[in-house]
Every structure is written in structure tokens, then in C-alpha cells.
């Protein structure tokens, strides 16, 4: 059974930093990443990282967020710096197998106060 468990969300002031972690179990994943959904908005890609290859970032987070993964531990991280109030959202961990099956975590709330 596949499980994705996120941690690291919370409340931070604008300009601060948070680090999200997601531990995946039950399969091997060719792609892992993070999406977010703000109140009243659609879920959007934040960043994704393949097991080998190019990393993708949303334009809105380039230069502020860094995604990384530990393949041996099936863990993906999101280091978020210079946070802005508009980064406030529920952040979801995402993992995709080589057969293109997608899995999602339950989400972790990030709140950035101004």
C-alpha cells in the first residue's frame, strides 16, 4: 500500500523559511514533487524532481524554493525561503510511478503572515 506522509508545515512570518518533507512508501517513484492549493484556487505545481533529469519549478517560486530528494529514503524535500503571504496554501506531496500512476499525500498547511 502506497503512503505519502508530509511534515513541516506551519505558521511563519513573511520573509521566513520552512522546510517540508514527504516520506513515500510502498513503491518506487520516478517523479516526486509538491503541489499547493490556496483557498478558492486550483491546485498548482510548485516543483517536481525526477529520479534523474531536470527539475521543474513554478515561476512564482523560482529562486526562493529548492526541491531535493533522497532516492534511497524515498523522501522529497521542499526548502522554502523568503516566504510571502501569497505562498499560503495547503501543500501536497506527489509521487508518480514509472507506469504513470499518481499518488498524493493528505497535505500540510503553510501559512505566511504579513
Amino acid at each position: 500500500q502506497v503512503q505519502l506522509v508530509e511534515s513541516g508545515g506551519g505558521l511563519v512570518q513573511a520573509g521566513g523559511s520552512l522546510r517540508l518533507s514527504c516520506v513515500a512508501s510502498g513503491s518506487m517513484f520516478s517523479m516526486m514533487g509538491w503541489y499547493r492549493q490556496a483557498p478558492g484556487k486550483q491546485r498548482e505545481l510548485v516543483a517536481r524532481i525526477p529520479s534523474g533529469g531536470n527539475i521543474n519549478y513554478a515561476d512564482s517560486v523560482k529562486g526562493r524554493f529548492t526541491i531535493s530528494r533522497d532516492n534511497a529514503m524515498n523522501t522529497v524535500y521542499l526548502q522554502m525561503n523568503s516566504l510571502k503571504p501569497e505562498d499560503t496554501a495547503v501543500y501536497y506531496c506527489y509521487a508518480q510511478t514509472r507506469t504513470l500512476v499518481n499518488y498524493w499525500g493528505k497535505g500540510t498547511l503553510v501559512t505566511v503572515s504579513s
Side-chain angles (χ1 to χ4, degrees):
Q1 181 179 359
V2 173
Q3 283 190 315
L4 277 64
V5 180
E6 302 110 331
S7 61
L11 173 64
V12 64
Q13 287 189 332
S17 298
L18 282 175
R19 189 190 195 214
L20 305 183
S21 300
C22 173
V23 180
S25 60
S27 186
M28 298 301 294
F29 303 100
S30 57
M31 182 74 76
M32 299 184 77
W34 295 90
Y35 280 69
R36 67 186 180 186
Q37 188 166 18
K41 295 188 177 182
Q42 289 189 330
R43 191 174 295 191
E44 62 175 4
L45 172 69
V46 177
R48 59 184 182 182
I49 180 169
S51 55
N54 294 328
I55 295 172
N56 298 118
Y57 291 98
D59 288 343
S60 59
V61 306
K62 283 181 181 176
R64 300 188 299 122
F65 291 10
T66 302
I67 190 171
S68 60
R69 67 186 284 180
D70 182 332
N71 290 325
M73 299 296 292
N74 245 3
T75 301
V76 62
Y77 305 96
L78 186 68
Q79 178 65 44
M80 305 185 293
N81 298 329
S82 302
L83 282 160
K84 304 175 181 180
E86 50 263 46
D87 294 317
T88 295
V90 177
Y91 284 70
Y92 296 92
C93 179
Y94 152 80
Q96 184 182 77
T97 67
R98 285 186 172 82
T99 54
L100 304 182
V101 177
N102 297 325
Y103 296 92
W104 297 91
K106 293 182 178 180
T108 185
L109 177 63
V110 171
T111 304
V112 184
S113 63
S114 56

